[in-house]
mmCIF file of all heavy atoms in Angstrom:
data_model
loop_
_atom_site.group_PDB
_atom_site.id
_atom_site.type_symbol
_atom_site.label_atom_id
_atom_site.label_comp_id
_atom_site.label_asym_id
_atom_site.label_seq_id
_atom_site.Cartn_x
_atom_site.Cartn_y
_atom_site.Cartn_z
ATOM 1 N N ARG M 257 -155.552 -5.010 -75.229
ATOM 2 C CA ARG M 257 -156.799 -4.507 -75.726
ATOM 3 C C ARG M 257 -156.809 -2.947 -75.753
ATOM 4 O O ARG M 257 -157.211 -2.357 -76.770
ATOM 5 C CB ARG M 257 -157.990 -5.039 -74.970
ATOM 6 C CG ARG M 257 -159.362 -4.634 -75.468
ATOM 7 C CD ARG M 257 -160.446 -5.441 -74.737
ATOM 8 N NE ARG M 257 -160.540 -5.158 -73.360
ATOM 9 C CZ ARG M 257 -160.311 -6.144 -72.356
ATOM 10 N NH1 ARG M 257 -160.041 -7.364 -72.702
ATOM 11 N NH2 ARG M 257 -160.417 -5.804 -71.127
ATOM 12 N N LEU M 258 -156.383 -2.424 -74.639
ATOM 13 C CA LEU M 258 -156.289 -0.949 -74.530
ATOM 14 C C LEU M 258 -155.356 -0.354 -75.608
ATOM 15 O O LEU M 258 -155.691 0.609 -76.301
ATOM 16 C CB LEU M 258 -155.814 -0.526 -73.126
ATOM 17 C CG LEU M 258 -155.587 0.968 -72.932
ATOM 18 C CD1 LEU M 258 -156.922 1.728 -72.858
ATOM 19 C CD2 LEU M 258 -154.750 1.224 -71.744
ATOM 20 N N GLN M 259 -154.204 -1.028 -75.734
ATOM 21 C CA GLN M 259 -153.220 -0.522 -76.699
ATOM 22 C C GLN M 259 -153.779 -0.546 -78.104
ATOM 23 O O GLN M 259 -153.644 0.421 -78.883
ATOM 24 C CB GLN M 259 -151.933 -1.334 -76.596
ATOM 25 C CG GLN M 259 -150.791 -0.743 -77.360
ATOM 26 C CD GLN M 259 -149.435 -1.318 -76.936
ATOM 27 O OE1 GLN M 259 -149.374 -2.065 -75.978
ATOM 28 N NE2 GLN M 259 -148.367 -0.911 -77.626
ATOM 29 N N THR M 260 -154.494 -1.639 -78.436
ATOM 30 C CA THR M 260 -155.102 -1.763 -79.768
ATOM 31 C C THR M 260 -156.119 -0.621 -79.977
ATOM 32 O O THR M 260 -156.121 -0.006 -81.059
ATOM 33 C CB THR M 260 -155.765 -3.144 -79.937
ATOM 34 O OG1 THR M 260 -154.795 -4.125 -79.778
ATOM 35 C CG2 THR M 260 -156.431 -3.233 -81.280
ATOM 36 N N ASN M 261 -156.942 -0.382 -78.984
ATOM 37 C CA ASN M 261 -158.004 0.648 -79.130
ATOM 38 C C ASN M 261 -157.358 2.045 -79.234
ATOM 39 O O ASN M 261 -157.848 2.899 -79.982
ATOM 40 C CB ASN M 261 -158.973 0.570 -77.951
ATOM 41 C CG ASN M 261 -159.838 -0.679 -77.979
ATOM 42 O OD1 ASN M 261 -160.012 -1.279 -79.040
ATOM 43 N ND2 ASN M 261 -160.374 -1.062 -76.853
ATOM 44 N N MET M 262 -156.272 2.278 -78.487
ATOM 45 C CA MET M 262 -155.649 3.600 -78.509
ATOM 46 C C MET M 262 -154.895 3.821 -79.815
ATOM 47 O O MET M 262 -154.662 4.992 -80.192
ATOM 48 C CB MET M 262 -154.733 3.756 -77.335
ATOM 49 C CG MET M 262 -155.488 4.019 -76.051
ATOM 50 S SD MET M 262 -154.427 4.683 -74.695
ATOM 51 C CE MET M 262 -153.172 3.439 -74.581
ATOM 52 N N GLU M 263 -154.497 2.775 -80.493
ATOM 53 C CA GLU M 263 -153.760 2.945 -81.766
ATOM 54 C C GLU M 263 -154.595 3.626 -82.842
ATOM 55 O O GLU M 263 -154.086 4.111 -83.831
ATOM 56 C CB GLU M 263 -153.204 1.612 -82.236
ATOM 57 C CG GLU M 263 -151.963 1.217 -81.449
ATOM 58 C CD GLU M 263 -151.555 -0.222 -81.736
ATOM 59 O OE1 GLU M 263 -152.261 -0.948 -82.498
ATOM 60 O OE2 GLU M 263 -150.495 -0.664 -81.170
ATOM 61 N N ALA M 264 -155.910 3.671 -82.632
ATOM 62 C CA ALA M 264 -156.800 4.373 -83.568
ATOM 63 C C ALA M 264 -156.769 5.861 -83.363
ATOM 64 O O ALA M 264 -157.295 6.622 -84.166
ATOM 65 C CB ALA M 264 -158.242 3.843 -83.381
ATOM 66 N N ILE M 265 -156.188 6.316 -82.247
ATOM 67 C CA ILE M 265 -156.096 7.780 -81.964
ATOM 68 C C ILE M 265 -154.899 8.323 -82.754
ATOM 69 O O ILE M 265 -153.792 7.840 -82.619
ATOM 70 C CB ILE M 265 -155.946 8.046 -80.450
ATOM 71 C CG1 ILE M 265 -157.070 7.419 -79.698
ATOM 72 C CG2 ILE M 265 -155.821 9.527 -80.171
ATOM 73 C CD1 ILE M 265 -156.927 7.435 -78.162
ATOM 74 N N GLU M 266 -155.135 9.321 -83.564
ATOM 75 C CA GLU M 266 -154.118 9.881 -84.431
ATOM 76 C C GLU M 266 -153.009 10.580 -83.650
ATOM 77 O O GLU M 266 -153.258 11.275 -82.696
ATOM 78 C CB GLU M 266 -154.749 10.810 -85.448
ATOM 79 C CG GLU M 266 -155.637 10.110 -86.469
ATOM 80 C CD GLU M 266 -156.183 11.046 -87.474
ATOM 81 O OE1 GLU M 266 -155.890 12.271 -87.399
ATOM 82 O OE2 GLU M 266 -156.870 10.584 -88.463
ATOM 83 N N GLU M 267 -151.803 10.426 -84.173
ATOM 84 C CA GLU M 267 -150.596 11.194 -83.761
ATOM 85 C C GLU M 267 -150.286 11.066 -82.283
ATOM 86 O O GLU M 267 -149.955 12.078 -81.625
ATOM 87 C CB GLU M 267 -150.748 12.637 -84.161
ATOM 88 C CG GLU M 267 -150.856 12.823 -85.681
ATOM 89 C CD GLU M 267 -150.777 14.283 -86.124
ATOM 90 O OE1 GLU M 267 -150.962 15.139 -85.269
ATOM 91 O OE2 GLU M 267 -150.559 14.495 -87.334
ATOM 92 N N ILE M 268 -150.360 9.880 -81.736
ATOM 93 C CA ILE M 268 -149.866 9.619 -80.351
ATOM 94 C C ILE M 268 -148.792 8.588 -80.422
ATOM 95 O O ILE M 268 -148.663 7.849 -81.392
ATOM 96 C CB ILE M 268 -151.003 9.200 -79.393
ATOM 97 C CG1 ILE M 268 -151.552 7.817 -79.741
ATOM 98 C CG2 ILE M 268 -152.077 10.251 -79.272
ATOM 99 C CD1 ILE M 268 -152.463 7.209 -78.722
ATOM 100 N N THR M 269 -148.029 8.573 -79.340
ATOM 101 C CA THR M 269 -146.963 7.502 -79.195
ATOM 102 C C THR M 269 -147.277 6.722 -77.917
ATOM 103 O O THR M 269 -147.581 7.296 -76.912
ATOM 104 C CB THR M 269 -145.591 8.162 -79.045
ATOM 105 O OG1 THR M 269 -145.225 8.783 -80.290
ATOM 106 C CG2 THR M 269 -144.512 7.138 -78.723
#
Side-chain angles (χ1 to χ4, degrees):
R257 184 169 63 242
L258 175 73
Q259 191 162 355
T260 299
N261 291 339
M262 284 197 301
E263 283 169 357
I265 302 171
E266 293 183 355
E267 298 188 345
I268 66 169
T269 293

